[in-house]
Amino acid sequence: MLQSFKLAMKSIWSNKMRSFLTMLGIIIGVASVIILVSLVNAYMSYMTDSFSSMGTNQITVNMINLSSRSVSDEEMYEFYSEQGEVFDEISPMVSISGAIKHGNDSMTSTSITGVSEAYLSIKGWELQYGRNLQYGDMTGRHKVCVIGTYVADELYGSAENAYGETLKINGYAFTIVGVAAQQEDEMEEGGTDDFVWMPYTRAVKMARNSNINNYVFTVSDLSQATAAKSQIESFLYERFKDEDLYTVTAMSEMLDELNSMIAMVSAGLGGIAGISLLVAGVGVMNIMLVSVTERTREIGIRKALGARKSVIMQQFVIEAAVTSSLGGIIGIILGSVVTSAVGKLAELSATPTPAAVLVSFGVSVGIGLLFGYMPANRAAGLNPIDALRGD
C-alpha cells in the first residue's frame, strides 16, 4: 500500500500540469459546495436572529370586530387567565396615527402604540431611565408614556433630559415616565428606537374606537406555540363563527417555514455545485485511462515479474484517489478563503461548516475511488505479453 502511494505521488509530480488540470474540476466543485452551503447557512443564521429579535415565542392576533360580533379586551384577558399554564404574557396593541411634538420640534414618522404594562417584558427590553407603564396607568387611562432612545435624543438631546418631561401627542400632553434602552447600534428615523408607548386604554380613547383589534401573546414553552395558537383560534371561532374575521400568527411557525425553505435552497445549490464534482470525476477517469495507455509497458513488466492483478489495480485506484484528495484539500482551502471574504463583504458571519467540508472532501475521495476503478481494472486486465509489446 505504501509503495503504491509513493508511485502515485511520483506519477502526479512527474506530470504536474496534467495532474493540476485533472484536479481543477474537483477544486472548483469542492470550493463551490463549501462556499454556497456556508453562505446559505450564514444567511439562515442571520434570518433566524432577525426573527428571534422579533420574538419567536410571540403569537400575534389580528381581528375585525363587527357591531354584531366582537371580542372585548375583558373577554381576551379572561381567556388569557383561563389558559395561564400555556401563555406567559399578553398585551393589546392600539396604533395611533399622528405626530409627536416638543416645543417647536415635531416628529411624524414615530410609531405611537397603546400597550399594556407587559409589553416591555414581551419585547425583552430594558429601561434606561424611569419606570415602565403600570397596571394603574391602564385603569386610570393616565397620560403617561415610555419613549425610545431616538425620540429622546431628537427632541430632548438625551435620554436623561427626556425623563420626566412633557411630550405632546396629537395635541395631548403626556408625561414621559420612562426611556427604553437603545436597541440598535445606529438609530434612525422610523427605526426600532423611534417609538412612543402609552397605556392602551388611553390609546383606545384617542383613537375613538371602543374595540381593540390587535393583541400579542407570549408562550411560556416554545414547543407549545402551535397548540397555543390552536387554542386562540378555537376561542375566536366561538365568538366570530367566521375564520375570515381574524388571523393568528405564531412567529415560531414562520421561522420553521423559513428555515425549511432555506434548507431546500441550500440543498438545491449544493446539488448544483455537486454536478461539477461529477464532471470532475469523468475528467479523472479520462486522465487515468490516458495514464494506463502511456504506462502499458510498465504494467507489462510488473506483471511479467509476478505482480498480481490486485496489486496493479490497487496502484491505479490509489493514484486516482490521491489526485482527487489533493484536489479536495486545495478546494477546501480555496472555499474557506472565498467564504470568509464574501462573508465580510456581505456583512454575514460566514464560516465553512464542518459538515460541508467533510462531505465535500468525502465526495472528492469517493470520486477518485469510483472513477479510478475502471482505468485500474483495465490496467489490471492487460495481458503481460500484449502489454510488453505496447508502444
Side-chain angles (χ1 to χ4, degrees):
M1 184 72 72
L2 180 61
Q3 185 64 29
S4 296
F5 179 78
K6 290 180 179 179
L7 288 171
M9 292 300 299
K10 182 179 179 181
S11 175
I12 293 171
W13 187 253
S14 61
N15 297 279
K16 300 182 189 65
M17 181 57 67
R18 188 174 71 182
S19 298
F20 173 74
L21 293 175
T22 305
M23 297 176 190
L24 189 59
I26 294 175
I27 293 172
I28 294 173
V30 170
S32 299
V33 170
I34 292 174
I35 293 168
L36 289 174
V37 173
S38 299
L39 289 177
V40 169
N41 286 340
Y43 183 72
M44 184 185 296
S45 298
Y46 169 76
M47 294 300 296
T48 300
D49 292 340
S50 298
F51 267 79
S52 296
S53 64
M54 296 170 63
T56 52
N57 65 332
Q58 294 180 14
I59 300 176
T60 58
V61 178
N62 302 294
M63 304 179 298
I64 302 175
N65 283 300
L66 305 177
S67 57
S68 58
R69 287 172 287 179
S70 64
V71 177
S72 66
D73 56 326
E74 291 86 359
E75 290 176 316
M76 191 64 83
Y77 267 99
E78 182 180 352
F79 164 74
Y80 162 74
S81 299
E82 292 174 353
Q83 306 295 332
E85 73 282 356
V86 177
F87 299 108
D88 191 23
E89 302 279 4
I90 180 178
S91 175
M93 297 181 65
V94 182
S95 296
I96 301 291
S97 60
I100 61 175
K101 188 175 183 180
H102 173 67
N104 294 324
D105 299 323
S106 63
M107 301 173 65
T108 58
S109 62
T110 302
S111 170
I112 307 171
T113 312
V115 298
S116 75
E117 70 279 7
Y119 196 66
L120 183 69
S121 175
I122 289 173
K123 297 291 286 185
W125 294 356
E126 296 181 355
L127 291 175
Q128 186 176 357
Y129 287 99
R131 68 169 176 84
N132 185 29
L133 298 175
Q134 297 176 349
Y135 178 72
D137 297 325
M138 308 298 149
T139 57
R141 297 180 181 178
H142 294 162
K143 293 179 182 178
V144 295
C145 64
V146 172
I147 65 174
T149 310
Y150 180 77
V151 177
D153 287 353
E154 289 293 309
L155 296 183
Y156 303 93
S158 69
E160 185 177 5
N161 293 337
Y163 171 59
E165 290 291 326
T166 299
L167 176 69
K168 284 193 174 182
I169 305 175
N170 291 346
Y172 294 92
F174 282 73
T175 301
I176 300 173
V177 296
V179 180
Q182 183 175 335
Q183 301 302 312
E184 294 182 328
D185 294 334
E186 296 183 5
M187 297 183 295
E188 59 183 1
E189 183 178 1
T192 305
D193 294 292
D194 189 7
F195 69 86
V196 174
W197 297 338
M198 67 174 70
Y200 74 89
T201 51
R202 170 55 58 179
V204 167
K205 187 173 182 180
M206 290 180 63
R208 297 175 183 176
N209 185 357
S210 59
N211 293 318
I212 301 174
N213 297 322
N214 302 309
Y215 293 83
V216 58
F217 291 80
T218 58
V219 292
S220 52
D221 184 356
L222 194 59
S223 63
Q224 298 297 317
T226 302
K229 176 187 173 185
S230 298
Q231 290 181 358
I232 297 173
E233 289 174 333
S234 298
F235 167 74
L236 294 177
Y237 187 77
E238 289 179 4
R239 298 296 190 278
F240 290 106
K241 304 300 182 182
D242 186 350
E243 294 180 353
D244 294 332
L245 295 179
Y246 60 85
T247 57
V248 183
T249 305
M251 298 301 294
S252 60
E253 291 185 351
M254 293 178 63
L255 180 60
D256 290 341
E257 291 178 6
L258 178 65
N259 285 338
S260 177
M261 291 175 60
I262 294 177
M264 290 176 62
V265 172
S266 178
L269 291 175
I272 292 171
I275 293 175
S276 62
L277 287 174
L278 181 64
V279 174
V282 175
V284 169
M285 181 173 66
N286 289 336
I287 294 299
M288 291 306 299
L289 286 171
V290 172
S291 179
V292 169
T293 303
E294 289 179 345
R295 295 159 64 184
T296 301
R297 188 180 295 277
E298 174 194 333
I299 295 169
I301 293 173
R302 294 190 66 189
K303 297 196 75 171
L305 293 174
R308 297 190 303 274
K309 181 178 179 179
S310 59
V311 174
I312 303 295
M313 180 176 289
Q314 175 182 283
Q315 176 187 345
F316 284 90
V317 168
I318 289 177
E319 185 173 326
V322 169
T323 302
S324 300
S325 299
L326 289 175
I329 293 171
I330 297 172
I332 290 171
I333 296 171
L334 178 63
S336 301
V337 172
V338 174
T339 296
S340 300
V342 174
K344 289 181 180 179
L345 290 175
E347 297 183 351
L348 292 173
S349 180
T351 54
T353 59
V357 171
L358 291 175
V359 169
S360 298
F361 183 73
V363 170
S364 66
V365 174
I367 282 174
L369 294 173
L370 178 64
F371 287 91
Y373 175 79
M374 181 178 172
N377 186 58
R378 178 181 175 183
L382 288 175
N383 184 287
I385 297 174
D386 294 335
L388 286 170
R389 272 205 309 259
D391 296 327

